[in-house]
Amino acid sequence: MRNIGENIRFYRERAKMSAAELALKIRVGTGTIEKYEAGLQTPDMQTILKISTVLDVPASELLESFTSKNPTGLDPELEELIKEVGVKRAKLILRKAKDFSDEDFLNVMQVLYEKKYSTQ
């Protein structure tokens, strides 16, 4: 399975950019980029958006994990989440989510995260 750090490295190398160049453009240290790519640190949402802009890649692609597919063709984690949430609810969420830009979607996710953890 490929994680966000591996995705950052993949798209950075595809853009023929060094870690130092990416760090300079998103205003972090080179060591921070190296930590992201090694999986030692995970960038926050604002940094993910900056990286996606600099590398000209949708943020969703940076966040995507690549796993082996099961016989149904669905990602196993996605299939399990659909079971947990229920098919009707999953369809409703996906119908609404498809109309959002990557940035809007990340903002909505941030609001949901804050709502969940600020009330506890």
Side-chain angles (χ1 to χ4, degrees), residues 12-68:
R12 177 182 59 75
E13 289 174 349
R14 188 179 81 174
K16 297 181 183 352
M17 190 179 295
S18 70
E21 290 171 314
L22 177 59
L24 182 66
K25 289 184 180 195
I26 67 165
R27 297 184 177 168
V28 298
T30 303
T32 301
I33 298 297
E34 292 168 355
K35 287 179 186 175
Y36 293 159
E37 292 182 354
L40 302 174
Q41 188 174 336
T42 303
D44 60 25
M45 289 298 177
Q46 292 294 42
T47 304
I48 291 169
L49 291 173
K50 288 178 188 175
I51 293 169
S52 73
T53 299
V54 169
L55 297 178
D56 195 28
V57 174
S60 61
E61 288 188 31
L62 290 176
L63 295 168
E64 186 173 342
S65 295
F66 296 95
T67 59
S68 59

Side-chain angles (χ1 to χ4, degrees), residues 92-105:
L92 176 65
I93 292 166
L94 290 170
R95 281 189 193 111
K96 295 298 180 187
K98 72 181 179 121
D99 296 331
F100 282 65
S101 69
D102 287 342
E103 186 174 353
D104 288 341
F105 186 77

Side-chain angles (χ1 to χ4, degrees), residues 69-101:
K69 304 264 182 189
N70 61 18
T72 63
L74 281 176
D75 177 288
E77 183 182 10
L78 180 59
E79 191 169 30
E80 185 60 34
L81 288 168
I82 291 170
K83 285 179 190 173
E84 289 176 22
V85 173
V87 173
K88 282 178 78 173
R89 205 166 165 197
K91 284 181 179 179
L92 176 65
I93 292 166
L94 290 170
R95 281 189 193 111
K96 295 298 180 187
K98 72 181 179 121
D99 296 331
F100 282 65
S101 69

